[in-house]
Amino acid sequence: MDTQIETLEFQAEARQLLQLMVHSIYSNKDIFLRELISNASDALDKLRLAAFQDKELQADTTDLHITLDVDSEARTLTVRDNGIGMSREEVVTLIGTIAKSGTADLLRKMKEAKDTAASTELIGQFGVGFYSAFMVGDKVTLLTRRAGETEATRWESGGEGTYTIETVADAPQGTSVTVHLKPEDAEDHLFDYTADWKIKEIVQRYSDFITWPVRMTVERDGESMVETINSMKALWARSKDDATEAEYNEFYKHISHDWTDPLETIQMKAEGTFEYQALLFLPAHAPLDLYMRERKRGVQLYVKRVFIMDDCEALMPEYLRFVKGVVDAQDLSLNVSREILQQDRQIQLMRRRLVKKVLSTVKSMMDTEKYQTFWKEFGPAVKEGLVNDFDNRETILEISSFETTHDAEKLSTLRQYIERMKDGQEHIYYLTGASRSTIENSPHMEAFSAKGYEVLILTDAVDEMWVDSIGEFDGKRFQSIAKGQVDLDTEEEKKDAESERDQQQKDFASLLTWMTKSLEENVKEVRLSSRLTTSPACIVGDAHDVTPTLEKMYRAMGQDVPHIKRILELNPAHPLVTGLRKAHDEGKDDADLAELLYGLALLAEGGDLNDAPRFTRLLADRLAQTL
């Protein structure tokens, strides 16, 4: 048989990441065993599921378990399972290389991290649990054979620049990971991981809830005997009084492969015609892949304590993709597929209840630091639900927080915004943009700032999608201050200014007509503005127009959206505009200046010029004429 022995090099980024594990900045090195046992448990879950789905699979499922073998003389600890195993190709893909999507981002963030805690949180988010073995071992050997296959694969690395991989003939079904332990070093928190008591302590602290038996050979009264050292109690089936916060935290880490405690734990139990139990968690940090296309989402699905699938998308909507946990149903088929789940009435009912429970939990957290953390990490994702979860829109609006012009430091709920509204104010005013600074300095803000009206500052990409479609909240309609006409004057102010406005319309009528014609390729109308106090001009859309940002987003998604012309508004009191009118009245039409005015308005709102070189040339020529 061709053993196909290869010595391969880690990729540069993978080597850097591996070195972080070898020279770990993480003080609690005990968690390496938790990670290896967690991986073994996953392999057992996957084998049982595969055996349900494929009756022809040549695999022994009669006694699925995890074994811990210690060799004190050789100073090795082996974690062995008889689960699904891996093929040679899977070993190369899953174990041989670490460099997958997000590696570069992880390394960059770790370099930016100011302290040890922040760095280790990032490691946990990336999910490199297998490599935690290098914190305690100077060499790791992996031997695996995939269920149903005859050939096995051995992988080995000393945690430096290379690893070896070879095909071998004899190996039991499943995977064994042998850690060649470093010398004990209490100062570096390296304990004796060949000691029975230490292994039991770690298992009972971190892996007691694993649903498979974790076995170890122990010496008792001079005799060797095999002992199961975990309780195997399903944590989600216990009452809240029968489980500790520490147990919940460890269970979360087991299913999420996160190394930090969850922000919030949610437990549910439904009884009656359709029974299920759920144990859900809100993470404390957004994973690196939260906004990546290839991300996984969904909670684990069990049926009567039998693992069915990871990342069950049918149970959790896209906008709650960060929620982790387990749902254990009593009345589903063990052979249920992802396709069937999408149509299953019971699954849809469970999903509705789970979503409502998650949202109500977030609502109960409001006015706490936990909520502030949650919204900072997951707010943009949650707001995606405003676009596609019509049933829960009102609740999502209730739990959402926004930046506003009221306070530069604190976020505000819509309820708080409404409580601060001026007498007679009928709308919730907002402006979308790339950043708070861009919005605060936008010409559109001038009249609102001058008259003391509060404006929502919406800077997340998803804000462009939902805000037009929502309509209203608590009877108050959302109104973009960059669309339609703005009328902030009281009836008395309107009456006092009526004659002046009428005169301005007469004075500027000819200029507005000419500029509309001159700029017809870019705008559909040029008109006088009631929203400007200091800027010469701004660009606005009609009340129901799609915004330029949304127009770009649609095009990026491959949709053919017609270009929408907008409206150029002029400030009749600005010297540049009055000078332009005077020149026009004298028969000196200045098309270049009109184009410059339009370009300035476009730049002021953070827009893109159609022809930046031409604009620069016109501006330079005009500036030169002033010298």
Side-chain angles (χ1 to χ4, degrees), residues 552-619:
K552 282 183 194 173
M553 289 170 65
Y554 283 138
R555 287 210 178 91
M557 292 186 288
Q559 297 187 32
D560 187 17
V561 182
H563 175 64
I564 297 173
K565 292 183 181 180
R566 298 164 74 209
I567 300 163
L568 178 65
E569 288 192 350
L570 305 181
N571 179 357
H574 194 280
L576 183 57
V577 177
T578 55
L580 191 60
R581 191 202 88 187
K582 182 180 179 183
H584 173 75
D585 289 345
E586 294 172 355
K588 302 173 185 176
D589 289 337
D590 193 336
D592 287 350
L593 184 56
E595 188 176 340
L596 281 171
L597 196 57
Y598 168 74
L600 289 171
L602 198 59
L603 289 172
E605 69 167 13
D608 298 323
L609 295 168
N610 293 331
D611 189 345
R614 173 177 168 76
F615 177 84
T616 304
R617 188 172 63 255
L618 290 176
L619 184 58

Side-chain angles (χ1 to χ4, degrees), residues 59-70:
D60 181 8
T61 60
T62 55
D63 182 26
L64 298 179
H65 63 278
I66 300 166
T67 302
L68 305 181
D69 288 333
V70 171

